[in-house]
């Protein structure tokens, strides 16, 4: 690979295009840190620098607050997300497979999809109280709605000839469903799951901003009261990193489960 | 059902198929009647849109008739059945299954034991020359290999009838000739009734006992041309004057069809 690239660039001189992506990633990361440091050190803006934020992160880890916040946020996200996906997949299949179910359910799905999950928070708090229930409900709703549509799309776009191929080999609907429809729609479902996780994560922080006793969103809300900028930074960075890690996990799962797909 | 008046393997009896409703309906197949004997190899040629695929899908049980009926072994076709193997132009392999799993798909449904499945899939995978690729996923196969896998999959459930819709359409000329010989070879050894649709006049003549020529608008039977050449067919035969003569006949029947005097009032173009 890199040999070819070197040839294209002319003899000997290794250009930046030959660097492995991970090195380029690191370079960008270090550069970003440097810019952040320079801006804050020069006091162009009144924000904490990397050193202060790093120090606060160490403190928050040492006193157990950051791990606790992470665990509470993750717990909410995963509970809501898993419930949402667990319901979305069968409902999506139902909608894709049975016309009647589709006609009955689709208007609701399309309607609720138009309402941003965050807009439901006030209602959820009024009706479900300020415990875990409203937060988990909102996260559930967000991941359910994005995943149900993807699953349903997946089922209706299964290639007809594959279904016919199964039928002429003797398959009845009862066989076609698990052996053709489900595997053929897995790529779509996984896309939906990823989008669902994204919206679950976005929702949890907002939900915690409104009412919670712990969690990354709650911590930022508290820090805001005390004008504690380093803590806000630590929370933001933690949210970004956790989102990234979860997405990477799903990406890896997706690659494993859809190895058979022809990619162009 | 009423008792059959024929002892043909497959019998199309006044089969019509109309798409769409009312004024905008379109007659894709107009009163097709055709008997195909047990063990016969017929090829079907005709202009695009003349109802070849429609006729085949009706025999496969994947499309309903609007009128008439198709009998297979004297019984009316009501749906697909494993005694009628179908090979689709688009291969239609299950991309998430390996070659072997694809070939065993129909056997699994029948509830064949694992050992027996293995024996059967080994046999047909080697018959189509894919032994080295038994555990490969379809995405790693060439077009010709995919088609051979589809053939092995259809053979594995031991159908007495093979319905093939332009199975070699996507292959290059060289692979195609190889596939034709292989198909004839397996057909002579494991005799089945074959309906084979193609656009290629040469291929139609080379393979067939009889070439069925169809005409369009409405889709209908135009001419039946017998091919009185013995099997096995050889390259020599393909280049012989007798072969050329039959090919010319078919060519004329396909490309110099007189315009049809339309007795039925209908739309010129199908709905799109
Ligand atoms: N599902 C459908 N709905 C409406 N019209 C259809 C449908 N399927 C086929 N037709 C029409 O019926 C006619 C015959 O189609 P068919 O696919 O049988 O043709 P064909 O002979 O196989 O053509 P080709 O050689 O191009 O494959 C065509 O004009 C087509 O437009
Ligand atoms: Mg066709």
């Amino acid at each position: 690979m890199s040999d070819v690239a070197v040839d294209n660039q002319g003899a000997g001189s290794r250009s930046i295009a030959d660097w492995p992506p991970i090195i380029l990633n690191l370079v960008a990361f270090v550069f970003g840190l440097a810019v952040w440091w320079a801006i804050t050190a020069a006091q162009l803006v009144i924000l904490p620098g990397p050193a202060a934020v790093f120090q606060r992160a160490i403190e928050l880890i040492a006193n157990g607050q950051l791990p606790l916040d992470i665990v509470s946020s993750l717990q909410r996200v995963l509970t809501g997300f898993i419930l949402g996906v667990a319901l979305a997949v069968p409902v999506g299949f139902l909608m894709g497979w049975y016309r009647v179910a589709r006609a009955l359910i689709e208007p609701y799905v399309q309607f609720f999809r138009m309402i941003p999950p965050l807009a439901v928070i006030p209602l959820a708090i009024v009706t479900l109280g300020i415990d875990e229930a409203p937060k988990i409900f909102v996260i559930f709703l967000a991941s359910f709605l994005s995943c149900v549509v993807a699953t349903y799309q997946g089922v209706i776009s299964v290639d007809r000839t594959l279904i016919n191929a199964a039928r002429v080999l003797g398959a009845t609907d009862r066989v076609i469903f698990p052996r053709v429809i489900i595997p053929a729609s897995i790529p779509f479902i996984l896309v939906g799951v990823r989008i669902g996780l994204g919206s679950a994560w976005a929702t949890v922080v907002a939900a915690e901003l409104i009412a919670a006793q712990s969690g990354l969103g709650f911590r930022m809300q508290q820090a805001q009261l005390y004008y504690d900028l380093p803590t806000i930074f630590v929370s933001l960075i933690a949210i970004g990193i956790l989102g990234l890690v979860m997405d990477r996990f799903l990406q890896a799962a997706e690659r494993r489960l859809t190895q058979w797909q022809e990619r162009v | 059902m009423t008792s059959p008046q024929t002892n043909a393997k497959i019998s199309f009896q006044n089969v019509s198929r109309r798409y769409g409703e009312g004024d905008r309906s379109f007659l894709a197949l107009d009163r097709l009647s055709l008997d195909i004997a047990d063990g016969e190899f017929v090829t079907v040629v005709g202009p695009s849109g003349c109802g070849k695929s429609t006729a085949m899908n009706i025999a496969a049980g994947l499309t309903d008739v609007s009128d008439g009926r198709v009998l297979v072994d004297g019984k009316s076709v009501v749906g697909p059945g494993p005694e009628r193997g179908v090979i689709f132009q688009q291969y239609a392999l299950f991309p998430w299954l390996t070659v072997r799993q694809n070939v065993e798909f129909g056997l699994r449904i029948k509830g064949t034991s694992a050992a027996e499945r293995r024996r059967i899939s080994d046999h047909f995978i080697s018959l189509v020359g894919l032994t080295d690729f038994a555990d490969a996923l379809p995405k790693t196969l060439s077009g010709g290999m995919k088609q051979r896998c589809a053939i092995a999959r259809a053979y594995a459930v031991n159908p007495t009838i093979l319905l093939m819709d332009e199975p070699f359409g996507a292959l290059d000329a060289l692979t195609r000739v190889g596939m034709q010989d292989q198909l004839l070879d397996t057909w002579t050894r494991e005799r089945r009734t074959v309906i084979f649709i193609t656009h290629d006049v040469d291929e139609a003549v080379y393979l067939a006992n009889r070439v069925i020529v169809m005409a369009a608008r409405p889709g209908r039977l135009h001419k039946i041309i017998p091919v009185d050449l013995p099997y096995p067919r050889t390259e020599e035969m393909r280049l012989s004057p007798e072969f050329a003569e039959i090919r010319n006949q078919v060519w004329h029947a396909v490309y110099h069809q007189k315009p049809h005097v339309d007795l039925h009032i209908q739309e010129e173009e199908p709905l799109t």
Side-chain angles (χ1 to χ4, degrees):
Chain A
M1 269 306 280
S2 69
D3 285 344
V4 178
V6 169
D7 282 349
N8 287 343
Q9 301 290 331
S13 70
R14 284 182 67 88
S15 82
I16 191 166
D18 302 326
W19 294 10
I22 183 78
I23 303 287
L24 291 172
N25 292 162
L26 268 176
V27 167
F29 176 67
V30 170
F31 178 75
L33 269 186
V35 170
W36 178 17
W37 175 81
I39 290 175
T40 47
Q43 302 212 310
L44 291 175
V45 288
I46 331 157
L47 288 177
V53 170
F54 185 71
Q55 201 190 336
R56 177 57 49 83
I58 301 287
E59 284 167 30
L60 288 174
I61 292 171
N63 71 15
Q65 208 164 67
L66 184 61
L68 179 74
D69 288 336
I70 288 178
V71 168
S72 5
S73 289
L74 271 181
Q75 240 165 23
R76 290 176 191 132
V77 167
L78 292 181
T79 315
F81 169 72
I82 289 169
L83 288 175
V85 169
L87 185 66
V89 170
V91 170
F93 276 123
L94 214 62
M95 286 171 66
W97 194 238
Y98 295 109
R99 284 162 159 268
V100 177
R102 184 183 319 168
L104 290 176
I105 303 171
E106 192 170 13
Y108 286 100
V109 168
Q110 297 299 357
F111 175 74
F112 283 110
R113 228 156 59 96
M114 291 300 121
I115 303 174
L118 296 184
V120 179
I121 292 178
L123 176 65
I125 289 175
V126 171
T127 53
L128 297 169
I130 53 163
D131 303 335
E132 292 303 285
K135 298 176 211 64
I136 290 175
F137 174 74
V138 172
I139 295 159
F140 157 82
L141 198 64
S143 35
F144 171 78
L145 289 172
S146 39
C147 191
V148 77
V149 175
T151 307
Y152 153 65
Q153 286 294 342
V155 175
I156 60 173
S157 53
V158 173
D159 190 352
R160 287 263 8 139
T161 47
L162 288 184
I163 296 173
N164 284 342
R167 290 180 66 200
V168 298
L169 289 166
T172 54
D173 279 0
R174 195 172 284 174
V175 174
I176 290 172
F177 191 73
R179 290 189 191 261
V180 180
I181 304 292
I182 291 182
S185 37
I186 281 200
F188 287 85
I189 295 174
L190 288 176
V191 170
V193 167
R194 266 179 78 190
I195 298 171
L197 187 59
S199 43
W201 194 229
T203 314
V204 72
V205 174
E208 290 172 349
L209 283 175
I210 292 171
Q213 280 79 51
S214 64
L216 293 166
F218 163 76
R219 194 60 55 206
M220 286 198 287
Q221 166 76 12
Q222 289 290 301
Q224 181 202 327
L225 295 176
Y226 301 107
Y227 208 72
D228 179 2
L229 283 170
T231 299
I232 294 186
F233 267 66
V234 170
S235 307
L236 284 176
I237 292 170
I239 289 166
I241 291 176
L242 286 172
L244 211 61
V245 168
M246 290 193 290
D247 194 59
R248 283 298 144 94
F249 264 114
L250 277 185
Q251 240 178 38
E254 191 178 335
R255 260 200 302 277
R256 272 189 66 98
L257 286 169
T258 62
Q259 262 171 348
W260 50 267
Q261 271 195 308
E262 302 217 28
R263 285 172 221 276
V264 272
Chain B
M1 287 260 63
T2 47
S3 63
Q5 290 96 35
T6 170
N7 46 21
K9 182 78 182 168
I10 308 171
S11 175
F12 290 85
Q13 302 188 340
N14 267 308
V15 176
S16 297
R17 168 71 208 205
R18 187 174 281 283
Y19 284 110
E21 298 276 309
D23 285 356
R24 308 208 50 194
S25 77
F26 175 80
L27 193 57
L29 199 59
D30 186 15
R31 290 163 299 173
L32 172 70
S33 288
L34 176 69
D35 279 356
I36 297 165
D38 195 10
E40 199 181 4
F41 199 129
V42 302
T43 54
V44 183
V45 287
S48 186
C50 68
K52 304 184 292 291
S53 300
T54 302
M56 198 200 85
N57 286 330
I58 287 172
L62 295 171
T63 300
D64 293 331
V65 296
S66 303
D67 203 8
R69 59 180 184 169
V70 177
L71 303 180
V72 168
D73 290 322
K75 285 196 283 289
S76 238
V77 166
V78 280
E83 80 287 355
R84 278 161 286 142
V86 181
I87 292 163
F88 300 89
Q89 178 166 14
Q90 313 87 329
Y91 317 130
L93 296 178
F94 303 113
W96 53 88
L97 301 180
T98 63
V99 167
R100 179 184 303 285
Q101 290 167 333
N102 264 285
V103 173
E104 291 185 2
F105 188 91
L107 300 169
R108 232 170 222 288
I109 292 170
K110 270 206 287 191
T112 313
S113 74
E116 181 67 2
R117 284 207 305 267
R118 177 82 191 192
R119 192 188 63 72
I120 296 171
S121 62
D122 272 343
H123 170 70
F124 287 108
I125 289 170
S126 97
L127 188 75
V128 297
L130 284 179
T131 306
D132 292 344
F133 295 89
D135 298 312
L137 285 171
K139 70 170 180 181
T140 65
L141 305 180
S142 71
M145 289 156 82
K146 282 181 190 159
Q147 199 53 278
R148 283 184 273 158
C149 178
I151 291 172
R153 182 177 68 179
Y155 275 51
V157 289
N158 198 24
T160 55
I161 293 170
L162 277 181
L163 305 169
M164 307 175 81
D165 192 353
E166 301 189 39
F168 305 154
L171 306 183
D172 66 277
L174 198 64
T175 313
R176 200 173 173 131
V177 168
M179 297 283 294
Q180 289 165 2
D181 286 331
Q182 205 171 38
L183 177 63
L184 281 185
D185 193 48
T186 43
W187 175 71
T188 35
R189 276 190 285 151
E190 306 191 7
R191 199 68 170 222
R192 292 177 167 91
T193 310
V194 182
I195 301 182
F196 185 108
I197 298 174
T198 176
H199 264 120
D200 181 343
V201 170
D202 228 80
E203 178 169 84
V205 175
Y206 186 68
L207 296 174
N209 291 119
R210 284 190 297 164
V211 181
I212 312 296
V213 182
M214 292 182 60
R217 288 175 192 209
R220 64 197 186 279
L221 183 65
H222 178 62
K223 215 169 193 172
I224 298 179
I225 298 171
V227 182
D228 290 322
L229 296 170
Y231 292 94
R233 304 268 161 95
T234 59
E235 196 179 357
E236 206 173 292
M237 231 180 257
R238 202 194 273 271
L239 302 171
S240 71
E242 294 86 346
F243 188 91
E245 165 59 28
I246 302 169
R247 188 183 45 212
N248 283 349
Q249 271 184 46
V250 175
W251 185 277
H252 264 89
V254 176
Y255 293 101
H256 299 278
Q257 297 179 350
K258 288 192 196 72
H260 180 64
V261 185
D262 209 343
L263 301 171
H264 312 266
I265 295 154
Q266 70 204 14
E267 281 275 280
E268 266 295 283
E269 286 297 318
L271 313 172
T272 42

